[in-house]
Amino acid sequence: MPDPTAESQTAAAGKINASSPAGAPRIGVYVCECGGNIGETVRCEQVANALGKLANVTIARHYQFMCSDPGQKLITDDITEKGVNRVVVGACSLFLHEQTFRKTVERAGLNPYLYYHIGLREQDSWVHHECPADATAKAIRMMSAGIAKARLMQPLAPVHLDADQRVLVIGGGVAGLRAALSIARRGLPVTLIEKSHFLGGHVAQWEHLFPTDEDAAALLEGLIEEVIAESKITIYTGAEVVSTKGYVGNFDIRIRVQPRGVAKDFAAVDQAIAACPVQVPDEFNFGLTQRKAIYQPYVGCYPASPVIDREHCTRCNECLRVGQNGGIRLDEPPVEIDLKVGAVVVATGFRPYEPFAGEMGYGEFPEVITLPQLERLLATNDRLEWNARPVRRLAMIHCVGSRQIEGMHAPQPDGKVNDYCSRVCCTATLSAANRIHTRFPNVTIYDVYQDIRTYGRGHEDYYVRACKNGVTFLRHLPEEIPEVIRSEKGAEYPLLVKVKDRLTWGEEIELPVDLVVLSVGIMPSPISDLVDMLKIAPGNDRFLLEVHPKLRPVETAVAGVVLAGTAQGPMTVQESCAAAEAAATKVAVLLSRGKVELEPYVAQVDPERCQGVGECVCVCPQEGAIHLETRIENGKMLRRAVVTAANCNGCGVCVSVCPSRAIDVQGWRLDGFEAMVEAITAETPALEGVA
Amino acid sequence: MAADRLQVDTIVIGGGIAGMQAALDLADQGYRVALVEKNPSVGGKMIGLSKVFPTLDCCSCITTPKMAAVAYHDNIDLLTYSEVQSVSRNEQGFVVQVLKKPRYVIDDACTGCRSCELVCPLDLPDDANEFGRTAHRVIYVPFTTAVPQKALIDIDQCVFCGKCLQACPSDAIDFSQLPAFLEIQARSIILATGYQVTRYDAKKQYGAGKLRNVIDGLMMERLLAPTGPYGRVLRPSDGKQPASIAYVQCAGSRDETLGVPYCSRVCCMYAIKQAMLLSGMLPLADITIYYMDIRTFGKGYEQFYRSAQAMGITFVKGKVARITEDADQNPTVRVELIDDHSQVVERKHDLVVLSVGMLPGGDPQALYGVPTSEDGFVRIPNYNVAPATTTQEGVFATGTAIGPMDIVDSIVTASAAAAEVSAYLQSHYAAGSLTDAERSLIHA
C-alpha cells in the first residue's frame, strides 16, 4: 500500500517562486535585539536608522524578537505592502534561524534565497559586550556588507534529488534496536549492523533495569524478537563500516562482515566448546570468568549459534573433531557489502570507565571490583562470595571516572579528565545495593558518595529504599577523594576504605570491608575511525555532538547522520530508547517523501567565458562534480566545463583556479564578496552608497 | 478558520514545547495534526522563561520560531483558547469534542494591531503571565510574542464602553460571540499536558506564601526575562535591588510532607542558571544555593555547575529548616551547615527564591481513561522501551505529562512520541482501516 502521507507532503512542499523580482532592489533591513542578547550591547535603533539611509534600502527596522511571529509579520507585511524584494536580518547565528527567516520570506511570496542573515549576536554583541559604541559601529559595518550583497542576490532554487529510503543503523544495542524498529514501522527499510557477533549490547549484561525493576534479559528478548519479526529490517552481526561516500539521501557505505566460523545449523555446539583448549577472559562477565575461543556469550543470546574468536583461536582443530563436517569453517573470509542508504543512525553506545591500575586499589587489590563486575557476580551466583570467602561488608564508591577534577585525577590518553556526570551510576549503584540487601540481608553496605543523583522518574525510590534498608551513606567533598588500602595482617577484613565523612562533622572514618565496588562512569565506545568516515564531531567530553541540544537534539552537523543513545552521552535505557525514537522521527522527516533538498550553493560555469582549460577538473575534490564536455558549434570543436549539481558541495576551489573567471558558486558569487568587502572597509560605512 | 468537523491523524493536547515539537514532527512527515491549547497563545511555560540552560539561549530564540511554525504549517490546525470537552471511541479512532472559548474578537478579522489596548480604560493584574506584577487591559493581546497575535476580552471585567469597538480598524470586536464547538475525528491522541509548579505557599516552615520577599523560581524567571515586568531584578516588598539572594533547593520536591517524594529534576539546574544570570545583572550581589544534593546530571550540566562555582556562587549543603523575616521584611533562613561541622545558623538575605518542583498539569483519567502512577504523572506500562505509549490504545503521552523533565528531554521525548504515533498510524493505514473517502474529509 502506498504511503498515505505522500500526497499531502507533495501538497505541503508547495512551489518556490523562482522568478527574479522586477525592478531595482528594494531591501528590507531588520535588526533583532534578541531579547537583550544583542539589544543590551548594540544600539539597534541607531543601527536601523543608519542603514535606512543606504541606497536601495526601502525600510530598516529594529525589533525585540525578529524570530517571533510578530517579528516575522513585520517582514511579510513589508514584502506585500512595501514591495520589499530583498531581506537582510541581523540577529543570532544563521545556524539558529536561517531556516526560520527563509520560510518567512517564502510565505510572503519571495524567493527564500533573496534573504541574507548577519550574525550580530555571536560575531558582535557577545564578543564586544563591554564596548557598546564600537559594537554598534561594527553592527552597522556588518549589516551594510549584507546590504551590499543583497543588492546583487538572485533567486535560487534548491537542488532536489531522489533519496534512497533505506537507513543504516550502526550498533545493535538497545538504542540501535529501538531505532531500527521505529524506522521500519514507519515504513522505511533498515540495515542494522552490529560490530560484535551478538545483538543486545550492554543491556544483555545487566540483571535488572531501573526504574521498573524488570528483567533485563526479558526486555531485550522482547525487543530482539520484534526486530527479527520486522521484514523491513536486515541484520548483520560482526559487521563494521569500512568506507563511506555521498551525502544525505545518497550515501554509499561499504560494510565488512566478519564470518562467525560456525554454520547456523551446527548442532554439536556444547561438544565443540568443551573441546576447545583456549581460555581467555570473558568480556561478557567483565573478566570475572574465562571463556573458550569458540563461544556463546550467554544462554539466550541472538544469534544463538556460537562464534569463533579469531584473535585467540590457535587453529588446533579440536573443535573440528567433534563431528558434523563443514559445521566449522575456520578459513571463511570476511565479506564486504555495498549499501546505498539515505541516512545513518549512529548508535555505537558506550563502554564502562576502566579505572587506572591502583586507582582506589583497582588492579592492586583483588577485592576491588567495578559495578559492572558486581552486576555479573550477582547475575551468575546464588551466594555473595569473593575469592571463595563470603562478603559480609561491602563499600560502594560513586563517581569513579566521573565528575573528575583536572589536576587531581589522572587524565585519559587524550590528556582530558572525565569532568562530566555519568548520570546512571547513582541509581544503578542503589539498585544493586537494594538487591543485595534483599537477597543477602546480613551484608552490611556502605555507600560513599558526593551527591546522590537519583533524578529520574522513580529513581528517588531507590534512594529512599536504600536508606530504609540500612545502607550507610558517607559523603565526601569532591577534592577529598576516598582511599582504599590493605588492612593490617591478620585483620578480619582485607580492605580499609578511608573517607572524610561530611555527614559526621568531617570525621575521618575507616571502613573495614570484604569487597569494594567502584561505581564507574560511562565513556563513549572507541569509534574514531567511524567518526572520521562520517565527518561527524565529538564534543569536549568525547561523546558525539548534536547540532543544538534543543533545536536539533539528535542531529549532527552532517545532514542525514543522526545520533541514538549513549554514543551521544550517558543515558538510562529509557532515555536511550527515547533518543533512538527521536532519531527515527528525524530520519522519517528526511526520507519519507523519497526526495531530499540540497542547498543551491553549487558551482556554475559561464559557457561564454569558459576556455575549456580544465584546471577546475584537476583541483575538484568531489568525485563527479565537474567534468569537461566537447561539443561542435559553428563547425568548431569547443571544450567546456560542466557541473553536476548533485555532487558539488560548493567548496569553491574551482573558482579560485579558473584563469578566465568563468566559474562562480551560486549564492556566493565573487561580485557579492567584492561588494561586501568594499562595504565593510568603507570610510563611512553608514553613508556609503547614499543615492 | 477551522471547519466544524475536522479529521486528523493525531490530536495533540497542549501547545507547550513538547506538544509543539510532536505536532511539527508529525506534520513534517505529512500527517494531519490538530493542536489544541487551552490558553489564548501557544508556547506553554517555556515562553515565559528567561534564558535556558545549559546553552543560555534566550528562551524566545528557541520557542517563538516553533510557535510561528505550528501556526503556519499546512498540516496543522491550531486551536488556541480551546478545551477538550469529551472523548469517545469509534471505528476510526476517537471523536474529540472541542470547545472554542469566545475571545469576543473575530479571529479572522483581528490583525493584532493592539489599537484596542490603547483605548481600553480598564487595567487588570496580569496574573497569568506576571503573577499580578504588571497589568493588562480588559481587551488585550496575551503577550508580545503570543501566537496567534489576536486580542481577547476578559468579558467578566468589561464595562462595554465600546471604545475598542470604535478603535478597531478591522471591525473585529464582537461582544455577542458564543462558545463554538468543534468535532475532531482523530486516529490517535498525544497528551502533552505539561506541568504546574508545586505551590510556593505550601510549606508553613517557609512562610506559607506570607513572606513578601520569598518568591519562587518561576517568578524569578519573569524578573530575569527581557520581557519581564521591571526589566531588572527588584524585590517585592520595597522594590529594592537585592544584594544578597538565597536559593532554597527541594522546596517542593523530595519532601514527603508535601506529598512530593520524587526529585523534580530541573530545579538544580534552573537555580544555578538563575544564579549565573543574577551575578551578571547584579555583579556585587552575594548568591547562595542551599541544597541537599546537586543533581547536574545532563550533558554539559556538571560543567555548568563548575562554572557557577568559579563565578563565586556559594553552594551550601543543608536542607533549610525554616524561613522567617525581620522587621524590614528581610528573610532569614535557618540551616545546618553540614560541610562546616553541622553548625545550625540563621542567615539573613534580601530575597529568597524557593526552588519549587513539578506537579502534573492535569489528570487524564476522566477524559481519556488514561491512568496515572502513584506520582500523579501518566502511567507508561512499557516505560523503558516505549516511553510514550499509555495503557490506552491510540493514546500517547509526552513531555512533562510523563514526569518532571527539562526542555531538552521534553523535546527529545516529543520526537520519540512522534515515532510511536507514526508507527501506530502506519500499522492502521497498512491494514486499510482509513478509507480514501475518509482521508478526503481532511480539512473538508
Side-chain angles (χ1 to χ4, degrees):
Chain A
M1 174 165 168
D3 188 332
T5 61
E7 195 182 318
S8 57
Q9 274 167 2
T10 322
K15 279 225 161 63
I16 284 186
N17 178 1
S19 63
S20 192
R26 295 177 60 79
I27 304 173
V29 178
Y30 305 88
V31 188
C32 180
E33 293 170 17
C34 197
N37 275 310
I38 296 171
E40 278 169 17
T41 305
V42 173
R43 292 169 198 136
C44 296
E45 187 176 1
Q46 199 180 323
V47 175
N49 287 342
L51 298 172
K53 295 176 192 146
L54 297 185
N56 305 108
V57 174
T58 304
I59 180 87
R61 301 178 185 275
H62 67 104
Y63 189 68
Q64 194 174 22
F65 297 111
M66 281 310 301
C67 60
S68 70
D69 189 42
Q72 293 184 33
K73 198 162 178 295
L74 291 175
I75 300 176
T76 53
D77 284 353
D78 287 345
I79 292 171
T80 49
E81 287 161 20
K82 294 199 161 60
V84 161
N85 59 22
R86 305 278 192 287
V87 172
V88 178
V89 178
C92 52
S93 85
L94 82 174
F95 215 49
L96 214 57
H97 285 323
E98 186 178 48
Q99 293 300 330
T100 307
F101 291 116
R102 271 192 195 162
K103 283 188 184 137
T104 307
V105 300
E106 203 180 336
R107 214 165 51 230
L110 201 62
N111 180 282
Y113 295 92
L114 293 175
Y115 139 75
Y116 190 66
H117 195 108
I118 299 282
L120 285 188
R121 193 181 70 176
E122 275 80 347
Q123 294 173 34
D124 190 11
S125 67
W126 273 359
V127 283
H128 303 300
H129 57 89
E130 263 147 37
C131 23
D134 290 345
T136 303
K138 181 174 171 182
I140 293 171
R141 276 183 192 272
M142 288 170 70
M143 291 210 57
S144 56
I147 292 164
K149 174 171 173 162
R151 290 191 191 106
L152 301 170
M153 288 193 302
Q154 293 298 319
L156 298 172
V159 181
H160 286 276
L161 293 175
D162 286 337
D164 285 305
Q165 287 194 308
R166 180 168 289 279
V167 179
L168 173 65
V169 176
I170 306 172
V174 72
L177 292 166
R178 178 69 254 187
L181 195 58
S182 294
I183 295 165
R185 286 185 176 166
R186 175 62 186 81
L188 305 175
V190 178
T191 300
L192 171 65
I193 65 168
E194 161 58 38
K195 190 174 177 178
S196 82
H197 286 277
F198 303 93
L199 294 182
H202 283 302
V203 171
Q205 293 168 290
W206 311 144
E207 196 188 12
H208 284 83
L209 298 176
F210 64 81
T212 48
D213 280 336
E214 67 200 296
D215 185 42
L219 175 140
L220 206 53
E221 203 183 303
L223 191 55
I224 291 174
E225 266 173 23
E226 287 184 90
V227 168
I228 298 167
E230 188 54 67
S231 62
K232 284 195 156 68
I233 302 176
T234 312
I235 305 168
Y236 295 103
T237 54
E240 269 187 285
V241 172
V242 288
S243 72
T244 70
K245 266 197 316 199
Y247 45 86
V248 57
N250 296 275
F251 289 107
D252 291 301
I253 295 182
R254 175 167 293 180
I255 61 168
R256 183 180 297 139
V257 184
Q258 298 293 345
R260 296 183 88 78
V262 181
K264 244 189 199 154
D265 58 354
F266 181 66
V269 175
D270 295 341
Q271 296 94 308
I273 292 174
C276 178
V278 178
Q279 292 274 347
V280 289
D282 182 358
E283 55 283 270
F284 187 78
N285 284 331
F286 297 103
L288 291 181
T289 55
Q290 305 277 304
R291 65 158 168 82
K292 300 297 184 65
I294 176 169
Y295 72 104
Q296 293 158 302
Y298 61 101
V299 179
C301 61
Y302 182 86
S305 72
V307 69
I308 292 173
D309 169 3
R310 271 146 213 272
E311 196 190 329
H312 294 105
C313 172
T314 58
R315 297 175 168 266
C316 69
N317 290 347
E318 286 295 332
C319 55
L320 290 177
R321 298 192 184 101
V322 301
Q324 197 182 340
N325 262 350
I328 294 196
R329 292 168 287 197
L330 291 178
D331 296 317
E332 211 176 344
V335 183
E336 295 203 339
I337 299 170
D338 288 322
L339 301 172
K340 288 191 84 63
V341 299
V344 179
V345 177
V346 184
T348 47
F350 75 98
R351 63 188 160 110
Y353 171 82
E354 179 70 16
F356 290 101
E359 183 174 3
M360 299 206 178
Y362 185 78
E364 188 182 352
F365 312 127
E367 299 88 353
V368 179
I369 64 171
T370 65
L371 182 60
Q373 287 176 323
L374 176 73
E375 282 292 337
R376 293 312 306 154
L377 197 65
L378 290 172
T380 52
N381 288 282
D382 294 332
R383 284 179 291 185
L384 188 59
E385 288 183 347
W386 188 250
N387 285 348
R389 285 177 41 171
V391 175
R392 297 157 296 168
R393 289 178 169 196
L394 166 91
M396 306 177 93
I397 305 178
H398 289 248
C399 295
V400 179
S402 307
R403 302 183 69 186
Q404 291 181 325
I405 300 169
E406 217 175 83
M408 292 193 71
H409 291 93
Q412 293 293 308
D414 63 2
K416 288 187 284 197
V417 296
N418 297 350
D419 59 358
Y420 54 86
C421 165
S422 290
R423 188 164 178 150
V424 302
C425 354
C426 276
T427 313
T429 303
L430 296 173
S431 164
N434 289 336
R435 274 178 280 133
I436 291 171
H437 177 80
T438 307
R439 285 172 60 185
F440 316 105
N442 294 326
V443 175
T444 303
I445 304 168
Y446 301 104
D447 183 294
V448 180
Y449 77 102
Q450 299 177 38
D451 293 284
I452 293 290
R453 294 186 165 174
T454 44
Y455 64 88
R457 192 176 184 189
H459 295 194
E460 187 79 0
D461 288 349
Y462 288 83
Y463 188 17
V464 173
R465 258 186 278 158
C467 294
K468 286 183 181 155
N469 287 341
V471 174
T472 307
F473 288 88
L474 298 97
R475 176 173 177 273
H476 67 90
L477 295 180
E479 59 276 14
E480 293 170 352
I481 302 168
E483 266 183 279
V484 179
I485 55 170
R486 178 61 83 201
S487 301
E488 279 172 34
K489 256 209 165 102
E492 200 182 343
Y493 295 92
L495 293 179
L496 278 181
V497 178
K498 291 173 73 173
V499 193
K500 194 167 182 191
D501 175 33
R502 291 290 163 176
L503 300 177
T504 48
W505 314 284
E507 202 174 331
E508 298 263 9
I509 293 181
E510 292 189 349
L511 308 167
V513 292
D514 294 306
L515 189 65
V516 170
V517 179
L518 306 180
S519 210
V520 292
I522 279 182
M523 292 181 69
S525 296
I527 51 157
S528 56
D529 288 351
L530 184 67
V531 164
D532 290 345
M533 280 188 273
L534 291 171
K535 302 184 182 76
I536 51 179
N540 259 338
D541 55 9
R542 306 179 206 90
F543 290 98
L544 295 176
L545 200 58
E546 64 285 334
V547 175
H548 186 281
K550 295 187 188 72
L551 289 173
R552 292 164 70 190
V554 295
E555 292 163 83
T556 68
V558 178
V561 179
V562 300
L563 306 175
T566 51
Q568 192 186 0
M571 292 181 194
T572 65
V573 172
Q574 186 260 356
E575 289 157 353
S576 292
C577 285
E581 292 192 298
T585 290
K586 298 304 162 189
V587 165
V589 169
L590 264 181
L591 298 180
S592 56
R593 67 191 65 178
K595 295 244 182 241
V596 288
E597 196 177 283
L598 303 180
E599 293 280 26
Y601 305 137
V602 294
Q604 194 181 30
V605 178
D606 178 352
E608 299 296 311
R609 284 189 172 186
C610 177
Q611 307 289 314
V613 181
E615 292 275 343
C616 49
V617 180
C618 295
V619 297
C620 177
Q622 293 294 110
E623 205 178 317
I626 195 162
H627 66 281
L628 290 179
E629 267 181 23
T630 308
R631 63 170 192 263
I632 311 245
E633 217 169 80
N634 301 332
K636 274 167 66 181
M637 209 159 72
L638 297 176
R639 290 211 308 166
R640 295 289 178 263
V642 176
V643 175
T644 306
N647 295 332
C648 175
N649 70 352
C651 71
V653 174
C654 54
V655 179
S656 66
V657 297
C658 180
S660 43
R661 277 190 73 161
I663 315 185
D664 250 326
V665 173
Q666 291 195 102
W668 295 97
R669 300 176 60 88
L670 286 174
D671 57 357
F673 282 116
E674 281 160 9
M676 289 178 86
V677 171
E678 238 165 72
I680 224 162
T681 54
E683 295 265 312
T684 48
L687 298 175
E688 174 265 344
V690 170
Chain B
M1 196 180 150
D4 294 333
R5 190 163 187 282
L6 200 62
Q7 184 156 354
V8 295
D9 296 305
T10 296
I11 180 168
V12 179
I13 315 297
I17 187 66
M20 291 195 293
Q21 185 64 51
L24 287 169
D25 279 333
L26 287 165
D28 281 347
Q29 295 177 54
Y31 297 105
R32 304 286 326 187
V33 180
L35 177 57
V36 179
E37 166 57 48
K38 67 172 189 252
N39 290 315
S41 170
V42 289
K45 292 272 193 302
M46 184 178 171
I47 189 62
L49 305 182
S50 56
K51 291 183 181 179
V52 282
F53 61 80
T55 46
L56 293 182
D57 286 303
C58 78
C59 92
S60 298
C61 300
I62 312 294
T63 327
T64 56
K66 289 194 199 285
M67 292 162 71
V70 294
Y72 293 116
H73 206 296
D74 286 335
N75 290 336
I76 298 177
D77 278 290
L78 176 59
L79 302 160
T80 51
Y81 212 35
S82 298
E83 280 184 55
V84 173
Q85 296 291 293
S86 70
V87 181
S88 59
R89 278 185 192 269
N90 65 3
E91 280 192 3
Q92 287 81 47
F94 303 90
V95 180
V96 183
Q97 301 286 349
V98 175
L99 167 77
K100 268 180 80 69
K101 293 178 268 189
R103 300 176 83 104
Y104 305 101
V105 171
I106 301 160
D107 273 8
D108 287 351
C110 177
T111 63
C113 73
R114 307 181 90 154
S115 304
C116 51
E117 286 186 355
L118 293 175
V119 297
C120 179
L122 287 178
D123 288 321
L124 300 173
D126 187 353
D127 294 321
N129 302 307
E130 302 290 0
F131 305 95
R133 288 216 183 79
T134 60
H136 63 67
R137 294 291 159 88
V138 168
I139 183 165
Y140 65 107
V141 174
F143 49 93
T144 320
T145 52
V147 168
Q149 275 287 299
K150 310 274 180 200
L152 72 155
I153 298 175
D154 185 339
I155 207 77
D156 295 336
Q157 305 293 332
C158 180
V159 295
F160 301 100
C161 67
K163 286 192 173 153
C164 52
L165 213 57
Q166 289 160 4
C168 180
S170 47
D171 293 330
I173 315 288
D174 175 8
F175 289 123
S176 65
Q177 209 173 51
L178 293 171
F181 291 90
L182 180 69
E183 188 174 288
I184 300 178
Q185 173 70 55
R187 173 53 70 188
S188 56
I189 298 174
I190 300 179
L191 302 174
T193 43
Y195 71 96
Q196 46 183 324
V197 295
T198 57
R199 293 194 62 94
Y200 91 113
D201 56 4
K203 214 169 163 65
K204 69 174 193 305
Q205 293 87 338
Y206 293 171
K210 295 199 179 80
L211 307 179
R212 290 198 65 197
N213 293 320
V214 176
I215 64 173
D216 74 18
L218 220 44
M219 297 175 190
M220 181 54 99
E221 285 293 328
R222 292 308 304 153
L223 296 181
L224 290 165
T227 53
Y230 315 132
R232 52 194 173 141
V233 176
L234 304 174
R235 71 175 196 173
S237 73
D238 50 12
K240 190 179 118 180
Q241 219 166 53
S244 163
I245 302 157
Y247 280 82
V248 177
Q249 295 307 105
C250 299
S253 317
R254 301 180 67 189
D255 189 337
E256 304 229 359
T257 66
L258 296 174
V260 187
Y262 53 82
C263 167
S264 288
R265 194 166 168 155
V266 299
C267 333
C268 281
M269 279 300 283
Y270 81 60
I272 295 173
K273 173 206 72 182
Q274 290 185 355
M276 282 169 117
L277 295 178
L278 282 167
S279 67
M281 289 167 93
L282 309 168
L284 298 177
D286 289 323
I287 305 165
T288 309
I289 296 181
Y290 298 101
Y291 70 95
M292 301 210 283
D293 295 282
I294 289 291
R295 294 185 167 175
T296 47
F297 57 84
K299 189 167 179 169
Y301 294 4
E302 180 72 11
Q303 295 88 333
F304 196 80
Y305 172 34
R306 295 268 171 83
S307 310
Q309 289 173 309
M311 284 169 82
I313 292 154
T314 311
F315 288 82
V316 174
K317 163 95 175 165
K319 170 90 176 157
V320 170
R322 195 166 68 208
I323 309 172
T324 50
E325 64 181 13
D326 67 8
D328 298 323
Q329 295 189 304
N330 297 311
T332 305
V333 301
R334 185 180 170 83
V335 64
E336 176 191 7
L337 306 178
I338 290 170
D339 287 339
D340 198 2
H341 297 90
S342 291
Q343 314 166 54
V344 175
V345 296
E346 298 215 332
R347 284 186 172 175
K348 201 163 78 178
H349 299 281
D350 293 336
L351 182 64
V352 168
V353 184
L354 300 180
S355 289
V356 289
M358 283 187 178
L359 296 170
D363 185 350
Q365 175 72 56
L367 271 178
Y368 306 95
V370 170
T372 54
S373 294
E374 223 171 287
D375 57 13
F377 293 94
V378 173
R379 194 161 93 75
I380 303 293
N382 195 1
Y383 182 75
N384 279 325
V385 174
T389 301
T390 74
T391 50
Q392 286 287 334
E393 195 203 319
V395 184
F396 300 83
T398 194
T400 48
I402 62 167
M405 64 178 81
D406 61 25
I407 295 163
V408 176
D409 290 333
S410 291
I411 291 171
V412 170
T413 57
S415 294
E420 288 176 36
V421 170
S422 66
Y424 177 78
L425 293 171
Q426 290 304 113
S427 72
H428 276 271
Y429 299 149
S433 58
L434 192 62
T435 65
D436 287 349
E438 283 165 350
R439 286 203 69 81
S440 70
L441 275 177
I442 288 173
H443 232 196

